[in-house]
Amino acid sequence: AQSVTQLDSHVSVSEGTPVLLRCNYSSSYSPSLFWYVQHPNKGLQLLLKYTSAATLVKGINGFEAEFKKSETSFHLTKPSAHMSDAAEYFCVVSRLGGKLIFGQGTELSVKP
Amino acid sequence: EAGVAQSPRYKIIEKRQSVAFWCNPISGHATLYWYQQILGQGPKLLIQFQNNGVVDDSQLPKDRFSAERLKGVDSTLKIQPAKLEDSAVYLCASSLTASDTEAFFGQGTRLTVV
């Protein structure tokens, strides 16, 4: 069975400092992994996806994630946080047939 | 291109009442999903359609929830009768095919059951 665990329910950073949102996954086969972002009162937006190509995946708005099979991790990073990055972030694994399985979410706060 | 459209955006009903949500996916997308997102949790799949057929409804509480996609385009999700624990955001998403790795989400319908 596929599942994801987001290790932090809330992360707070200062503007201009690095962001690290942690995600571990469990999958019985080579997974497709995603990060989605959800701003208040807005729909979920895809940040980036890993589908067994390059292990370092670059997404929108300066975010990137690295797939590490040995650690079963897919952590999301950004070198420098902006105020506009404050949102809820979801790590997601895809099951065969397209079903998305979401983690519990990590709320990112950015302090000025 | 136009995104996934959902209506209404907000709905407040009393328990035991019925409610329906509507979703119009992105044009040409064969696969449509309904997710339930309870406050503080990640979205959970309720039902997945491929065209007008159901692919996965294993997590749908079928005693009170129903969904249809009669012409393989628009979809409606109904709850009858509603319970307090149904309070959540109901998200519709679509993708080109079931094997397409990117799903596009609507803004959701926030349901409050009082």
Side-chain angles (χ1 to χ4, degrees):
Chain A
Q2 290 73 45
S3 66
V4 289
T5 302
Q6 293 184 242
L7 301 175
D8 307 290
S9 59
H10 186 258
V11 169
S12 181
V13 300
S14 297
E15 192 174 22
T17 64
V19 175
L20 170 63
L21 305 183
R22 299 182 295 164
C23 172
N24 287 348
Y25 71 90
S26 172
S27 179
S28 53
Y29 58 91
S30 184
S32 292
L33 292 161
F34 312 80
W35 277 97
Y36 278 83
V37 61
Q38 187 175 39
H39 290 274
N41 298 315
K42 292 193 175 180
L44 285 156
Q45 181 184 20
L46 180 67
L47 272 181
L48 50 82
K49 60 182 178 181
Y50 165 77
T51 55
S52 73
T55 57
L56 183 62
V57 182
K58 293 188 183 299
I60 62 172
N61 300 334
F63 284 94
E64 62 182 36
E66 186 172 7
F67 174 74
K68 292 187 176 180
K69 186 175 181 179
S70 60
E71 299 177 9
T72 62
S73 69
F74 190 59
H75 301 335
L76 181 70
T77 60
K78 182 174 181 177
S80 176
H82 294 159
M83 296 298 293
S84 60
D85 294 328
E88 188 87 17
Y89 291 79
F90 292 97
C91 183
V92 183
V93 64
S94 175
R95 239 184 59 179
L96 290 174
K99 175 180 176 179
L100 300 179
I101 299 171
F102 284 76
Q104 292 287 84
T106 298
E107 182 182 358
L108 175 65
S109 300
V110 182
K111 298 174 290 186
Chain B
E1 74 184 357
V4 176
Q6 290 188 247
S7 67
R9 288 293 312 279
Y10 306 92
K11 190 75 176 178
I12 301 175
I13 62 171
E14 295 182 349
K15 60 184 178 183
R16 291 187 290 274
Q17 285 187 323
S18 63
V19 64
F21 313 128
W22 174 81
C23 172
N24 186 13
I26 292 173
S27 178
H29 280 195
T31 307
L32 185 147
Y33 311 82
W34 283 102
Y35 284 82
Q36 180 192 56
Q37 185 177 16
I38 293 172
L39 186 65
Q41 300 181 17
K44 182 186 77 173
L45 180 70
L46 291 175
I47 189 167
Q48 176 184 349
F49 291 94
Q50 181 69 18
N51 296 310
N52 61 350
V54 175
V55 173
D56 184 348
D57 63 355
S58 57
Q59 299 298 306
L60 188 73
K62 298 180 186 65
D63 57 333
R64 298 183 300 106
F65 286 64
S66 64
E68 59 184 15
R69 194 185 183 200
L70 292 176
K71 296 182 180 178
V73 181
D74 294 7
S75 177
T76 56
L77 176 70
K78 297 179 182 178
I79 308 175
Q80 182 179 11
K83 292 184 175 182
L84 296 176
E85 59 260 36
D86 298 332
S87 294
V89 176
Y90 291 85
L91 296 164
C92 180
S94 70
S95 61
L96 205 54
T97 66
S99 58
D100 189 1
T101 55
E102 182 167 359
F104 295 84
F105 285 80
Q107 289 189 281
T109 296
R110 182 178 298 277
L111 173 68
T112 303
V113 182
V114 298

